[in-house]
Amino acid sequence: IDLHVTPPRIGDLWMKTTVAGKSVDVTVWAVRDAVAKVVSAASPQLGEDLKEAGLVLRAFNVLEGARPQPSDPVAAPISTGLDLRA
């Protein structure tokens, strides 16, 4: 699952989630350092939430900066125009 959101308060945020069986791997890219720190701090809670759902958080990586463009155009995420403004 690839997701890219750009809420004005937090800036660009990309998330790549891979689910294989009951294992979940998450990689997050945040352009702003403060946002990356907040996301990193949420890792234990995400692990607990997934555990309650019968899943295991196998990997959780947070990187500061923009997500690199995939070299394979087929693997490139498709923009859905998702607007999360209330």
Side-chain angles (χ1 to χ4, degrees), residues 34-46:
V35 174
K37 289 177 182 172
V38 169
V39 172
S40 290
S43 174
Q45 183 61 52
L46 177 60

Side-chain angles (χ1 to χ4, degrees), residues 1 3 5 10 12-17 25-32 35-40 42-43 46 57 59-68:
I1 303 166
L3 177 67
V5 295
I10 65 169
D12 283 314
L13 187 69
W14 293 262
M15 184 169 72
K16 178 174 182 64
T17 305
D25 295 345
V26 178
T27 302
V28 178
W29 293 265
V31 172
R32 295 175 51 195
V35 174
K37 289 177 182 172
V38 169
V39 172
S40 290
S43 174
L46 177 60
L57 182 60
F60 187 82
N61 301 295
V62 179
L63 306 167
E64 184 183 343
R67 178 182 178 181

Side-chain angles (χ1 to χ4, degrees), residues 22-24 26 42-58:
K22 294 187 177 206
S23 295
V24 179
V26 178
S43 174
Q45 183 61 52
L46 177 60
E48 288 299 316
D49 292 345
L50 290 171
K51 186 176 181 179
E52 289 177 15
L55 300 169
V56 175
L57 182 60
R58 190 176 68 144

Side-chain angles (χ1 to χ4, degrees), residues 2-4 77-83:
D2 289 304
L3 177 67
H4 176 216
I78 299 169
S79 174
T80 61
L82 181 63
D83 184 359

